[in-house]
Amino acid sequence: TYNITVTGAAGWANASTDAVGFDPGTGAVLFTGTVAQSISGETSTTFYDLRINNTSATGVTLAQPITVDNILTLTDGYLYTDAVNLLTMSAGSSVSGVTNSSFVYGPMAKVGSTDFTFPIGKDVLYRPIGISSLSGSETFTATYFHANPDLAPYDVTSKDGSLDHVSETEYWTLTEAGTADAWVTLSWDSYS
Protein backbone atom coordinates (compact mmCIF):
# COMPACT_ATOMS: atom_id res chain seq x y z
CA THR A 1 0.00 0.00 0.00
CA TYR A 2 1.29 3.43 -0.96
CA ASN A 3 0.36 7.02 -0.19
CA ILE A 4 -0.09 9.46 -3.08
CA THR A 5 0.38 13.23 -2.84
CA VAL A 6 -1.34 15.37 -5.46
CA THR A 7 0.16 18.87 -5.91
CA GLY A 8 -0.41 21.55 -8.50
CA ALA A 9 -3.43 22.39 -10.63
CA ALA A 10 -3.55 19.04 -12.45
CA GLY A 11 -5.54 17.41 -9.66
CA TRP A 12 -6.82 13.83 -9.95
CA ALA A 13 -8.35 12.24 -13.04
CA ASN A 14 -9.44 8.60 -12.90
CA ALA A 15 -9.21 7.58 -16.56
CA SER A 16 -10.02 3.91 -15.95
CA THR A 17 -13.04 2.54 -17.77
CA ASP A 18 -12.61 -1.09 -16.72
CA ALA A 19 -13.81 -2.93 -13.63
CA VAL A 20 -10.36 -2.97 -11.97
CA GLY A 21 -9.45 0.73 -12.14
CA PHE A 22 -7.76 2.42 -9.19
CA ASP A 23 -7.35 0.13 -6.17
CA PRO A 24 -7.17 2.29 -3.02
CA GLY A 25 -5.78 -0.52 -0.87
CA THR A 26 -5.22 0.95 2.60
CA GLY A 27 -3.29 4.01 1.44
CA ALA A 28 -4.02 7.72 1.54
CA VAL A 29 -4.37 10.30 -1.21
CA LEU A 30 -3.38 13.80 -0.08
CA PHE A 31 -4.38 16.94 -2.00
CA THR A 32 -1.98 19.71 -1.09
CA GLY A 33 -0.91 23.03 -2.49
CA THR A 34 -1.94 26.63 -3.02
CA VAL A 35 -3.83 26.37 -6.33
CA ALA A 36 -7.31 25.02 -7.10
CA GLN A 37 -7.49 21.26 -7.70
CA SER A 38 -10.19 18.88 -8.91
CA ILE A 39 -11.12 15.22 -8.74
CA SER A 40 -12.45 14.14 -12.12
CA GLY A 41 -12.13 11.44 -14.76
CA GLU A 42 -14.08 8.87 -16.71
CA THR A 43 -15.32 7.08 -13.61
CA SER A 44 -15.90 7.60 -9.92
CA THR A 45 -13.00 6.99 -7.52
CA THR A 46 -13.08 5.21 -4.17
CA PHE A 47 -10.41 6.41 -1.74
CA TYR A 48 -9.40 4.56 1.42
CA ASP A 49 -8.10 7.68 3.19
CA LEU A 50 -8.60 11.11 1.60
CA ARG A 51 -6.76 14.13 2.99
CA ILE A 52 -7.40 17.75 2.01
CA ASN A 53 -4.69 20.32 2.77
CA ASN A 54 -5.17 22.89 -0.01
CA THR A 55 -4.90 26.54 0.98
CA SER A 56 -6.23 28.04 -2.27
CA ALA A 57 -9.45 30.06 -2.13
CA THR A 58 -11.26 27.37 -4.12
CA GLY A 59 -9.75 24.22 -2.58
CA VAL A 60 -10.60 20.88 -4.18
CA THR A 61 -13.69 20.53 -6.40
CA LEU A 62 -15.40 17.26 -7.31
CA ALA A 63 -16.11 16.85 -11.01
CA GLN A 64 -17.04 13.20 -10.45
CA PRO A 65 -18.70 11.43 -7.48
CA ILE A 66 -16.29 9.88 -4.97
CA THR A 67 -16.44 7.50 -2.02
CA VAL A 68 -14.25 7.45 1.09
CA ASP A 69 -14.01 4.04 2.78
CA ASN A 70 -12.01 4.89 5.91
CA ILE A 71 -11.03 8.45 6.98
CA LEU A 72 -11.60 11.87 5.45
CA THR A 73 -9.09 14.32 6.95
CA LEU A 74 -9.83 18.01 6.43
CA THR A 75 -6.68 19.88 7.47
CA ASP A 76 -7.04 23.08 5.43
CA GLY A 77 -9.23 24.14 2.50
CA TYR A 78 -12.67 23.17 1.29
CA LEU A 79 -13.92 20.12 -0.58
CA TYR A 80 -16.58 21.42 -3.00
CA THR A 81 -19.39 19.04 -3.95
CA ASP A 82 -22.79 19.23 -5.63
CA ALA A 83 -25.82 16.98 -6.07
CA VAL A 84 -24.26 15.21 -9.08
CA ASN A 85 -20.64 15.14 -7.88
CA LEU A 86 -21.36 13.85 -4.40
CA LEU A 87 -19.00 12.72 -1.64
CA THR A 88 -20.23 9.47 -0.05
CA MET A 89 -18.76 8.17 3.20
CA SER A 90 -18.89 4.36 3.45
CA ALA A 91 -20.27 2.42 6.41
CA GLY A 92 -17.81 2.63 9.31
CA SER A 93 -15.92 5.62 7.88
CA SER A 94 -15.07 8.75 9.87
CA VAL A 95 -13.93 12.37 9.56
CA SER A 96 -11.18 14.32 11.34
CA GLY A 97 -9.68 17.80 11.46
CA VAL A 98 -12.71 19.94 10.56
CA THR A 99 -12.63 23.72 11.22
CA ASN A 100 -14.13 26.94 9.82
CA SER A 101 -11.33 26.87 7.25
CA SER A 102 -11.76 23.24 6.21
CA PHE A 103 -15.04 21.41 5.61
CA VAL A 104 -17.26 19.96 2.86
CA TYR A 105 -18.82 22.85 0.94
CA GLY A 106 -21.97 21.27 -0.50
CA PRO A 107 -23.98 18.08 -0.05
CA MET A 108 -22.54 14.78 1.12
CA ALA A 109 -23.90 11.31 1.92
CA LYS A 110 -23.21 8.76 4.66
CA VAL A 111 -24.00 5.04 4.39
CA GLY A 112 -24.41 2.70 7.36
CA SER A 113 -25.96 2.43 10.80
CA THR A 114 -23.38 4.23 12.99
CA ASP A 115 -23.54 7.72 14.46
CA PHE A 116 -22.05 10.35 12.17
CA THR A 117 -21.47 14.10 12.10
CA PHE A 118 -21.55 15.60 8.61
CA PRO A 119 -18.59 18.03 8.28
CA ILE A 120 -20.48 20.56 6.15
CA GLY A 121 -20.66 24.34 5.94
CA LYS A 122 -20.62 27.42 3.72
CA ASP A 123 -19.01 30.86 3.62
CA VAL A 124 -16.29 30.16 6.24
CA LEU A 125 -18.92 28.74 8.62
CA TYR A 126 -18.45 25.11 9.69
CA ARG A 127 -22.05 24.06 10.45
CA PRO A 128 -22.23 20.32 11.20
CA ILE A 129 -25.36 18.22 11.45
CA GLY A 130 -25.27 14.88 13.23
CA ILE A 131 -27.24 11.64 13.15
CA SER A 132 -27.29 9.10 15.98
CA SER A 133 -29.21 6.10 17.31
CA LEU A 134 -30.08 4.87 13.82
CA SER A 135 -32.70 2.13 13.72
CA GLY A 136 -30.96 0.38 10.80
CA SER A 137 -28.55 0.77 7.92
CA GLU A 138 -29.39 3.80 5.82
CA THR A 139 -28.04 6.39 3.39
CA PHE A 140 -28.46 9.96 4.61
CA THR A 141 -27.59 13.04 2.56
CA ALA A 142 -27.01 16.39 4.28
CA THR A 143 -26.58 19.96 3.01
CA TYR A 144 -26.13 23.27 4.83
CA PHE A 145 -27.56 26.56 3.54
CA HIS A 146 -26.29 29.92 4.76
CA ALA A 147 -29.58 31.62 3.86
CA ASN A 148 -33.00 32.51 5.17
CA PRO A 149 -35.22 29.42 4.70
CA ASP A 150 -38.22 31.70 4.14
CA LEU A 151 -36.56 32.98 0.94
CA ALA A 152 -36.04 29.39 -0.19
CA PRO A 153 -38.95 27.00 -0.70
CA TYR A 154 -39.78 26.88 3.03
CA ASP A 155 -42.58 29.07 4.39
CA VAL A 156 -41.56 29.60 8.02
CA THR A 157 -45.10 30.59 9.02
CA SER A 158 -46.22 27.01 8.34
CA LYS A 159 -43.88 25.62 11.02
CA ASP A 160 -45.02 22.97 13.45
CA GLY A 161 -46.86 24.53 16.37
CA SER A 162 -44.42 23.07 18.90
CA LEU A 163 -41.56 25.12 17.43
CA ASP A 164 -41.07 28.47 19.12
CA HIS A 165 -38.73 30.15 16.60
CA VAL A 166 -37.22 29.47 13.17
CA SER A 167 -33.76 30.83 12.35
CA GLU A 168 -33.66 33.35 9.53
CA THR A 169 -29.91 32.97 9.02
CA GLU A 170 -29.42 29.31 8.10
CA TYR A 171 -30.96 25.89 7.57
CA TRP A 172 -30.03 22.30 6.74
CA THR A 173 -31.64 19.59 4.64
CA LEU A 174 -31.27 15.95 5.67
CA THR A 175 -32.79 13.27 3.46
CA GLU A 176 -32.75 9.51 3.71
CA ALA A 177 -32.97 6.88 1.01
CA GLY A 178 -35.14 4.53 3.09
CA THR A 179 -37.13 4.56 6.32
CA ALA A 180 -34.64 4.18 9.19
CA ASP A 181 -35.13 6.43 12.21
CA ALA A 182 -32.38 8.62 13.67
CA TRP A 183 -31.86 11.38 16.19
CA VAL A 184 -30.72 14.59 14.50
CA THR A 185 -28.46 17.20 16.12
CA LEU A 186 -27.96 20.66 14.60
CA SER A 187 -25.00 22.88 15.38
CA TRP A 188 -25.41 26.14 17.25
CA ASP A 189 -23.21 29.12 18.11
CA SER A 190 -23.38 32.91 18.46
CA TYR A 191 -23.90 33.28 14.69
CA SER A 192 -27.08 31.21 14.95
Side-chain angles (χ1 to χ4, degrees):
T1 297
Y2 296 95
N3 293 331
I4 300 170
T5 300
V6 180
T7 60
W12 177 277
N14 186 348
S16 174
T17 57
D18 64 24
V20 177
F22 171 71
D23 179 359
T26 57
V29 176
L30 167 64
F31 286 82
T32 186
T34 59
V35 297
Q37 296 174 310
S38 66
I39 300 175
S40 62
E42 299 295 318
T43 187
S44 176
T45 301
T46 297
F47 297 97
Y48 183 74
D49 285 347
L50 177 62
R51 300 174 185 163
I52 306 296
N53 190 8
N54 180 306
T55 59
S56 75
T58 53
V60 179
T61 301
L62 296 188
Q64 187 66 255
I66 66 168
T67 301
V68 174
D69 282 344
N70 191 43
I71 300 173
L72 170 64
T73 303
L74 296 160
T75 303
D76 199 351
Y78 304 117
L79 178 60
Y80 289 88
T81 66
D82 60 44
V84 174
N85 302 301
L86 190 67
L87 162 65
T88 300
M89 301 295 294
S90 296
S93 62
S94 63
V95 177
S96 70
V98 186
T99 66
N100 281 335
S101 61
S102 190
F103 51 75
V104 176
Y105 200 109
M108 66 176 292
K110 173 65 170 91
V111 178
S113 59
T114 57
D115 297 357
F116 187 76
T117 300
F118 292 86
I120 57 179
K122 287 237 173 38
D123 306 325
V124 300
L125 296 170
Y126 168 50
R127 309 304 291 149
I129 182 173
I131 54 174
S132 59
S133 302
L134 279 70
S135 64
S137 187
E138 183 64 89
T139 300
F140 282 92
T141 302
T143 309
Y144 170 73
F145 297 90
H146 181 205
N148 184 342
D150 204 33
L151 302 177
Y154 303 106
D155 177 4
V156 297
T157 62
S158 64
K159 66 179 177 63
D160 182 277
S162 65
L163 294 175
D164 188 67
H165 286 80
V166 176
S167 171
E168 294 180 352
T169 61
E170 62 189 348
Y171 68 98
W172 295 257
T173 60
L174 180 67
T175 58
E176 61 181 326
T179 60
D181 293 328
W183 285 96
V184 177
T185 303
L186 302 178
S187 54
W188 167 267
D189 66 12
S190 58
Y191 170 78
S192 301

